Amino acid sequence: MNEKGMKESSTVSPEAMRNYRLQVGFDSATGLQMSSGRSVSTIRIDCLSSVTKFAQILKLLSVIYRLVQSNSDIYYNNTQLFGSQRTVDSLVDDLSCMLRVPRRSLHVLATSKGLISGDLCYMEEDGTRIDCRSSSAAVAVSSNVVGIKNIVSSAKFVMIVEKDATFQRLLDEDFCAKLSPCIIITGKGVPDVNSRLMVRKLWDSLHIPTFALVDADPYGDVV
């Protein structure tokens, strides 16, 4: 989509614009992708109800461009335009679908809330060596899971723990050392994207069994 095309049509009509989560699927190479046979959205600059979202999309694209060159927080630098963090998250997903690229290619990285501990060492993209083997404290899940390399572990399995309180109890009991060499990870309830990516990274790298310790809530979203 170029500037000339935008002026002539007065619209932003990406083929892969996301309306609802049920309309998208996940591809390991490109991230969110529009499912076939689903509806699309058209955002017009000559329609009063679409003016704000059109402005938000253009602003977000300009911010993402600057992120390629320097780090910046999107929402807190533009609170008046976006209104909430949820709006930013939704628009980033829209742009990811529209441009057919994963979020990481937009240089938009969410702060992780997940924690990980156990028989695991790895290197961050910037060269920082991370050791998760401490029995007294967990390590925050990386905000750039894709950049993790040189994973070393003798763990026999990975345990996904839904609740943070349960995770902390397992840490206190030195679970990973007493039972068997293993890795435990929590997303503190509903997991963030980075926690999910970390579980997938461990599976792709180690190919060891992965279990989940959850409550009886059938609507819980843990993996």
Side-chain angles (χ1 to χ4, degrees):
M1 176 172 56
N2 55 36
E3 184 178 0
K4 180 179 179 181
M6 287 174 57
K7 290 180 178 179
E8 289 177 349
S9 64
S10 297
T11 65
V12 175
S13 53
E15 291 183 357
M17 180 65 76
R18 177 185 55 80
N19 275 339
Y20 305 101
R21 293 191 181 277
L22 292 178
Q23 296 193 18
V24 299
F26 181 80
D27 181 87
S28 59
T30 58
L32 291 174
Q33 287 290 304
M34 197 72 172
S35 301
S36 59
R38 298 294 184 177
S39 61
V40 298
S41 296
T42 299
I43 309 301
R44 301 175 58 89
I45 63 173
D46 58 354
C47 178
L48 185 61
S49 62
S50 297
V51 167
T52 298
K53 188 164 187 178
F54 186 88
Q56 290 172 339
I57 289 174
L58 291 185
K59 178 64 176 180
L60 189 55
L61 283 170
S62 69
V63 172
I64 288 171
Y65 176 76
R66 291 199 301 271
L67 283 175
V68 176
Q69 301 171 320
S70 63
N71 292 325
S72 178
D73 185 279
I74 296 175
Y75 169 61
Y76 287 106
N77 287 333
N78 303 275
T79 55
Q80 187 173 0
L81 175 61
F82 294 117
S84 70
Q85 181 65 52
R86 179 173 294 182
T87 298
V88 175
D89 293 339
S90 178
L91 287 170
V92 171
D93 284 345
D94 285 344
L95 290 175
S96 178
C97 286
M98 180 180 74
L99 301 175
R100 298 180 181 276
V101 296
R103 288 172 62 110
R104 62 180 179 274
S105 294
L106 300 177
H107 290 256
V108 178
L109 301 176
T111 301
S112 298
K113 68 172 184 176
L115 298 172
I116 189 168
S117 183
D119 194 318
L120 176 68
C121 296
Y122 59 85
M123 186 176 292
E124 297 271 15
E125 190 173 36
D126 63 2
T128 303
R129 190 70 183 173
I130 305 298
D131 189 341
C132 304
R133 293 173 296 186
S134 172
S135 60
S136 60
V139 174
V141 172
S142 173
S143 293
N144 183 17
V145 176
V146 176
I148 289 177
K149 54 188 177 181
N150 298 340
I151 293 177
V152 177
S153 175
S154 59
K156 303 302 182 183
F157 64 90
V158 175
M159 176 75 79
I160 304 169
V161 183
E162 180 183 7
K163 304 297 185 184
D164 182 42
T166 305
F167 179 87
Q168 297 299 331
R169 177 65 182 272
L170 293 176
L171 278 183
D172 293 341
E173 297 293 335
D174 201 10
F175 174 82
C176 293
K178 290 182 178 179
L179 179 63
S180 176
C182 65
I183 299 167
I184 56 174
I185 181 171
T186 181
K188 298 182 179 180
V190 178
D192 56 299
V193 172
N194 291 320
S195 296
R196 297 184 186 204
L197 287 175
M198 190 66 185
V199 172
R200 179 57 185 266
K201 186 84 170 184
L202 293 174
W203 167 254
D204 289 340
S205 302
L206 304 176
H207 295 291
I208 55 178
T210 301
F211 304 98
L213 179 59
V214 301
D215 59 23
D217 177 11
Y219 302 103
D221 187 10
V222 298
V223 293

